[in-house]
Amino acid sequence: SQILLAQGSLVSLGLTVFEARVSIDVSTGCLVNVGLSDKLATDDEHALHTVKAGTIADGGLTVTNTAEFVFDTEATAATEWHAVSENAGTIVDAGVESGVGSGPTADTYQVLRIEIDATGDTRYYIDGALVDTETTAVATTALLIPYLSIDGEDGTPVNAVMTVDYIYFSGARPSSNA
């Protein structure tokens, strides 16, 4: 997350689109977050969310609104991307995993796309295929920017590398560019 939050997309103003073509070099021992958030990265950069043993939880950054793909090798469905969102501080479906049936393959690019309409409804796509839809996934007052992170898992962490081919980010911006 390298742009100012004030330059983010305000959900209530219309369609917000995030797309990234990413590849990770391993498929074990890592935690990956790719999507949109209302928080800037900090010096203590944390993951937005984790998915461990059936539970989606805050990853340490304490976000209020986010829509993202999470790959966590400590999840029950440890080989799948998970569609994760948070609306006004409440993690959607926090008590259950949200695996989308498809996951990354080491050293293979995937296109991850998230579309959020003006009501906060969110659609998740992998390589052009719709894999999940969440109603009111984020608040309409959310101001979102791209966020990508990779880290070692807590249990048996490995050094992992995420390669980002491109990031596409589009949405209605507030009238101020402060």
Side-chain angles (χ1 to χ4, degrees), residues 3 14 24 45 47 51 61-62 78 105 136 150 167 169 172:
I3 66 173
I24 58 176
E45 296 179 349
V51 182
L61 196 56
T62 313
T105 300
T136 60
I150 187 167
I167 297 171
F169 174 55

Side-chain angles (χ1 to χ4, degrees), residues 4-175:
L4 297 174
L5 190 57
Q7 295 171 341
S9 177
L10 182 59
V11 171
S12 64
L13 294 180
L15 184 65
T16 299
V17 178
F18 166 86
E19 181 175 290
R21 185 173 183 250
V22 301
S23 171
I24 58 176
D25 67 338
V26 296
S27 56
T28 60
C30 64
L31 168 62
V32 180
N33 290 199
V34 177
L36 295 162
S37 172
D38 63 358
K39 293 291 183 184
L40 293 172
T42 67
D43 290 343
D44 300 337
E45 296 179 349
H46 295 282
L48 298 172
H49 290 97
T50 62
V51 182
K52 297 185 185 319
T55 302
I56 299 169
D58 186 299
L61 196 56
T62 313
V63 295
T64 305
N65 289 282
T66 181
E68 68 203 273
F69 285 96
V70 178
F71 178 71
D72 192 337
T73 56
E74 292 184 289
T76 302
T79 60
E80 297 181 27
W81 287 107
H82 296 265
V84 176
S85 65
E86 189 161 340
N87 182 330
T90 300
I91 298 172
V92 177
D93 299 328
V96 297
E97 288 189 12
S98 53
V100 297
S102 176
T105 300
D107 295 319
T108 302
Y109 280 106
Q110 285 184 298
V111 176
L112 305 176
R113 183 180 179 98
I114 299 170
E115 297 179 356
I116 304 172
D117 67 23
T119 64
D121 295 349
T122 303
R123 288 166 302 287
Y124 296 84
Y125 299 85
I126 297 178
D127 294 328
L130 179 65
V131 294
D132 192 44
T133 301
E134 293 181 354
T135 304
T136 60
V138 297
T140 58
T141 57
L143 192 59
L144 302 173
I145 58 174
Y147 193 99
L148 292 87
S149 70
I150 187 167
D151 200 357
E153 69 172 35
D154 291 335
T156 309
V158 300
N159 289 327
V161 175
M162 176 172 42
T163 303
V164 181
D165 182 40
Y166 70 82
I167 297 171
Y168 173 79
F169 174 55
S170 173
R173 306 298 200 274
S175 58

